[in-house]
Each structure stands twice: as C-alpha cells, then as structure tokens.
Amino acid sequence: MPLVWVARMAFNEPLPGGAIRQTLTLGTFADVLGDGHYWRVIWQTVELGVLVTVFTLLLSYPLALFLARTTSRWRGLLIALAVTPLLISSVARTFGWMAILGNQGVVNKTLQSIGVTDTPIQLANNLTGVVIASTEIYMPFAILVMISGFGRLDPELERAAASLGAGRPAVLRRVVLPLTLPGVLTAGLLVFVLSLSGYVTPRLIGGGRVFVLATEIYDEAITSLNWPVAAVLSIVLLVLFGLVIVVYTRLQRFVERRILGERGTPS
C-alpha cells in the first residue's frame, strides 16, 4: 500500500507552497527526467553504489574465505567478532567515522605528526569519506552472506588440484574463485542495494555536498514539501533496484551454466 500511494503521488502536480493538485499527469516525470541536476544525483548514487560494492567485496572476501575454511575451535568467536559491528547503530558508527576522517581527526593528526603532510587531507564532506565509511558499515553484511554462500567450497577439491600440480594461484583461480563466486555475487547485490538506499552516511559524512537519491528524496519531501517530485525520485530508485536484480539474475545464471557447469562443479 505505501508503494501504491507513492506511485499515485508521482502523477500529481506540485503547487507553490507545498500544495498538491490531485490529477493524473506525467508533467512531474518530465520535469525530473529533464533536469540535469537529478541526472547528476542518479549518476552519483550509482557511482557510490559501485565503489562501495567493489571495495567491500575486496576487503570482505579474504576474511569470509578464512572464516569459511578455518577449522579452529575459535571459529564461532571469530565469526561473532566479524559481525559485532552490526550490534552498533549505523548512526553511531557514522559519527565515529566523522571523528576519524575530519580535518582534526585521527587520520589527519597521525599523517601530520609523522610528516606525511603539512595540511589536513580532505577525507570528509566528500564522496571519498562516504565510500570509506559505507564500506566499513556494510562489510559485516557481505561477510555473513559470503560465508553462507561458500557451501560449495570443498577442501578436498583444493587438495586434488594441488596433487595434480596446480600451484596456489592456479587453485585460487580455477577452483576457489569459481566455487565462491555465487556467494560473492549475492553479497555484491546486497551491498549495492544497501548503498543505493543509504541515507545516514551520505548525509552526515557528505556534509551536504554528496547528493544521492535517498538524501534528495528526503529534502524534496521534508524540506521543500514537494511530494510529487519525491515520489518520482522514489520510483526512479525502485527502477534502479529492478535493473540491479535483472543484472544479478543473469550473472548468476551465467556462473551456474558457464563456470560451475550443470552440476555445480568447476568446468
């Protein structure tokens, strides 16, 4: 019902002062899609999602692989430690990153104290800071999804490949990576969707200088009281979600058919 209400609101006409005229018009869609500002917001949203997803997967994959393969009696504790950040609110963690990345934060103070730089490096109030903070915030989600998706990873296959003369790089490339790729794709889907719809971190770390769809929707609905435009932007965000699902589904099918083969074994 909320989605139906949003869809209906998108066809209304905004009036000055926050008033809304109940009608059925495509004028608001034309205004939004014809405005270069909103296209820049859409592009920056996708750019943020791609960057956060790539860095999150790169940092999470080794940790998830280690946790999935370890036979240590501390495995349960290690997994719990990996997901412990989820017990802390993302708002609190974002404020923590503001203190770390600020001009007077830990990073800049350390770099200046060891003589790397004389002036603070701009790590906050820009896209760089948002990517750094978002990557850390979404890493526990990626690690959990990857661990659960690494069920096909059988150590016996690795030992068999090694016995046939494959070195560690070849085993990683020909055995480990194909078997873990479905879990990586699922983790990438989750992180990308979360980063597309993220509001708190872009708002706080971005300092009002990083415009994404979530912050733009909030500003249009709450600050400008332009609910039809906010509804149109919400539909655009839903369309992006749909495109991501389509791409993910095709990639998953490609992995199953071409890389893993019909029976789920490396081809």
Side-chain angles (χ1 to χ4, degrees):
M1 289 302 297
L3 290 177
V4 171
W5 182 88
V6 168
R8 176 64 185 88
M9 178 61 69
F11 292 96
N12 290 332
E13 180 182 352
L15 299 176
I20 300 172
R21 186 166 73 90
Q22 298 288 336
T23 183
L24 287 175
T25 178
L26 294 175
T28 306
F29 282 91
D31 293 339
V32 170
L33 297 180
D35 193 328
H37 168 71
Y38 293 118
W39 280 108
R40 287 190 293 272
V41 170
I42 295 171
W43 168 251
Q44 188 156 250
T45 302
V46 175
E47 180 184 13
L48 175 63
V50 171
L51 291 175
V52 171
T53 301
V54 170
F55 287 119
T56 300
L57 294 181
L58 288 176
L59 293 174
S60 301
Y61 185 81
L63 294 175
L65 187 61
F66 168 77
L67 293 173
R69 297 169 63 177
T70 183
T71 57
S72 171
R73 62 176 180 173
W74 304 107
R75 181 175 183 271
L77 177 61
L78 293 175
I79 294 177
L81 289 175
V83 300
T84 294
L86 294 178
L87 301 177
I88 304 174
S89 168
S90 61
V91 177
R93 282 191 284 165
T94 300
F95 273 112
W97 277 108
M98 292 174 65
I100 294 173
L101 300 176
N103 290 341
Q104 302 301 319
V106 175
V107 174
N108 275 308
K109 285 295 185 181
T110 302
L111 293 177
Q112 292 178 42
S113 64
I114 62 178
V116 174
T117 179
D118 295 328
T119 58
I121 300 176
Q122 193 67 31
L123 296 175
N125 300 327
N126 54 24
L127 186 64
T128 301
V130 176
V131 171
I132 293 174
S134 298
T135 298
E136 186 274 332
I137 288 173
Y138 297 136
M139 276 184 63
F141 295 101
I143 291 173
L144 277 178
V145 173
M146 285 186 190
I147 292 175
S148 63
F150 287 177
R152 287 175 170 157
L153 186 59
D154 188 352
E156 293 296 331
L157 293 176
E158 299 180 54
R159 286 191 282 269
S163 67
L164 294 175
R168 287 184 177 274
V171 172
L172 178 64
R173 179 172 56 89
R174 299 292 299 274
V175 178
V176 176
L177 186 58
L179 291 176
T180 57
L181 195 53
V184 173
L185 290 177
T186 304
L189 171 67
L190 177 62
V191 172
F192 191 76
V193 169
L194 289 174
S195 58
L196 281 185
S197 59
Y199 169 80
V200 173
T201 303
R203 172 66 78 186
L204 296 180
I205 299 291
R209 300 179 184 179
V210 177
F211 300 99
V212 294
L213 281 172
T215 59
E216 198 70 16
I217 290 170
Y218 178 88
D219 289 339
E220 292 290 349
I222 305 302
T223 304
S224 302
L225 299 178
N226 195 333
W227 284 85
V229 170
V232 171
L233 293 176
S234 300
I235 291 176
V236 171
L237 188 57
L238 288 174
V239 171
L240 286 178
F241 289 156
L243 293 176
V244 171
I245 295 296
V246 171
V247 172
Y248 165 78
T249 302
R250 293 188 176 182
L251 284 176
Q252 195 80 343
R253 289 176 180 174
F254 174 80
V255 169
E256 294 291 340
R257 294 177 181 177
R258 299 294 181 86
I259 299 180
L260 297 181
E262 294 296 332
R263 298 183 178 179
T265 56
S267 57

